[in-house]
Amino acid sequence: MKFKYFILLIHLNSFLFIWGVSISDLEKAFNNGSLHFNHSDLRINQSDSPELTAAKLYFSGKLAKTTDKTFQFFSQASTNYPNTDYGQLALLEGVKIDFFNRNYDQALVSLQKIKDCPEKDYWKIRSYYFKNRLNEMMESANTLFKRYPQSEYVPEIYCLILETYQNANKMSEFNIVKENFKYHKNYLDFEPFVLYNEGLLMEKQQLYSKALLSFNQLVEKYPSSQYRVNADDKIIIINKIVQQNKPELSETPQTIAQPQVPKGNQNKPVTCEKLEKGQAYLQYGVFALLKSAETYKKSLESQGITPFVIEKMINDKAHFAVIQGPFKDKTEAMEFLQKTKANNINSFLFIP
């Protein structure tokens, strides 16, 4: 009986030798882990097609135990079979090795041989970034955004650009990229990073109330984010700066009569219709969420301003504005507005 099984095994091996293994077989064996233990399928035969040979070299590189061996297999596949799918993948793997070895020039040379795909643009952009070739980085990024707007690589590139503009203290450019980024399907996964860098940029420009708003939004919306602790530290630091350099606004707001919240609605914001018609107010910001408006109100209060929140309809949807007043007249409101702007607090005249 054992002899029969032995003969059967020989026949099976002969069958496999004759018919060989397919690329699909290699892919399945690699994904389920069996290829890690059975390297016989990776032996190259003279009858193998270029596509199959490139695949065998590619997977040999993925399973190699040393970097030198890995690079050797990838180089063989990409050099000898550059137009096959796995030849291209091997070339891309070689680019990654060059990149992580900080050989950015060689990575950029190899990338020129790869067919257009999102990952090609991704590694090109990162290489340009570390080479400090920022104009070429932005050109490549725009190409990626146009060709593959919802690619998985797009959010990370947006973050890289936002960080670049934050470091360069370029607010208008930062805001444009942020607005475009919001349309990506995975934006919310990266919003903590965006809010943190936005806060850093506002702090750098000494727009402390806006910096606090960004950091507080991060803390409230993403309490488990890796940026939460850093945001908490920044909030403490900025509050100390604000207290030490408190603008001379504390006395003026105390003389301003605040509108009364209607009885029975103490827990709700005043509606725009309840404001005194024709009177002068200052508006500091409009938010889609009441919580965000309340947070900004508190940051202004820490600077000596006494605003309140109202509910107003914009495009048939409720929004929440942080306002102050009414002032005695328009002249008094404009004088106070100039003081707020001198202290890097944005506001504008609002007459209901």
Side-chain angles (χ1 to χ4, degrees), residues 111-160:
L111 282 165
Q112 294 177 6
K113 305 173 186 177
I114 297 177
K115 298 174 183 177
D116 288 336
C117 65
E119 196 169 1
K120 172 185 178 178
D121 293 328
Y122 171 79
W123 290 107
K124 184 189 293 185
I125 294 163
R126 293 193 65 184
S127 297
Y128 282 143
Y129 173 81
F130 284 105
K131 288 287 293 179
N132 201 31
R133 293 162 61 175
L134 300 183
N135 288 335
E136 290 161 295
M137 181 191 86
M138 288 304 303
E139 288 178 9
S140 298
N142 288 328
T143 298
L144 175 64
F145 297 154
K146 289 178 182 178
R147 290 180 178 174
Y148 315 101
Q150 295 300 323
S151 165
E152 61 181 307
Y153 301 103
V154 165
E156 191 173 339
I157 296 305
Y158 268 128
C159 289
L160 190 66

Side-chain angles (χ1 to χ4, degrees), residues 141-180:
N142 288 328
T143 298
L144 175 64
F145 297 154
K146 289 178 182 178
R147 290 180 178 174
Y148 315 101
Q150 295 300 323
S151 165
E152 61 181 307
Y153 301 103
V154 165
E156 191 173 339
I157 296 305
Y158 268 128
C159 289
L160 190 66
I161 296 172
L162 288 173
E163 187 174 36
T164 300
Y165 284 143
Q166 185 268 119
N167 290 331
N169 202 17
K170 294 184 177 181
M171 181 175 290
S172 59
E173 291 87 347
F174 183 99
N175 289 333
I176 291 171
V177 174
K178 177 188 173 183
E179 289 304 312
N180 290 333

Side-chain angles (χ1 to χ4, degrees), residues 77-134:
S78 59
T79 301
N80 298 327
Y81 311 99
N83 296 320
T84 64
D85 289 341
Y86 276 99
Q88 289 280 297
L89 288 173
L91 187 56
L92 192 55
E93 292 294 333
V95 166
K96 295 177 188 178
I97 293 173
D98 284 328
F99 179 87
F100 289 115
N101 286 333
R102 301 184 181 181
N103 192 356
Y104 306 122
D105 287 325
Q106 182 56 50
L108 287 167
V109 170
S110 297
L111 282 165
Q112 294 177 6
K113 305 173 186 177
I114 297 177
K115 298 174 183 177
D116 288 336
C117 65
E119 196 169 1
K120 172 185 178 178
D121 293 328
Y122 171 79
W123 290 107
K124 184 189 293 185
I125 294 163
R126 293 193 65 184
S127 297
Y128 282 143
Y129 173 81
F130 284 105
K131 288 287 293 179
N132 201 31
R133 293 162 61 175
L134 300 183

Side-chain angles (χ1 to χ4, degrees), residues 255-266:
T255 65
I256 298 170
Q258 300 291 326
Q260 296 296 313
V261 178
K263 292 183 178 180
N265 292 315
Q266 288 88 346

Side-chain angles (χ1 to χ4, degrees), residues 283-313:
Q283 181 169 304
Y284 293 92
V286 180
F287 304 86
L289 298 176
L290 176 59
K291 191 172 184 180
S292 297
E294 293 287 357
T295 298
Y296 192 44
K297 170 178 170 289
K298 290 179 182 177
S299 72
L300 293 174
E301 288 173 340
S302 71
Q303 300 180 70
I305 300 174
T306 56
F308 61 100
V309 178
I310 66 167
E311 180 180 326
K312 61 191 301 188
M313 301 301 292

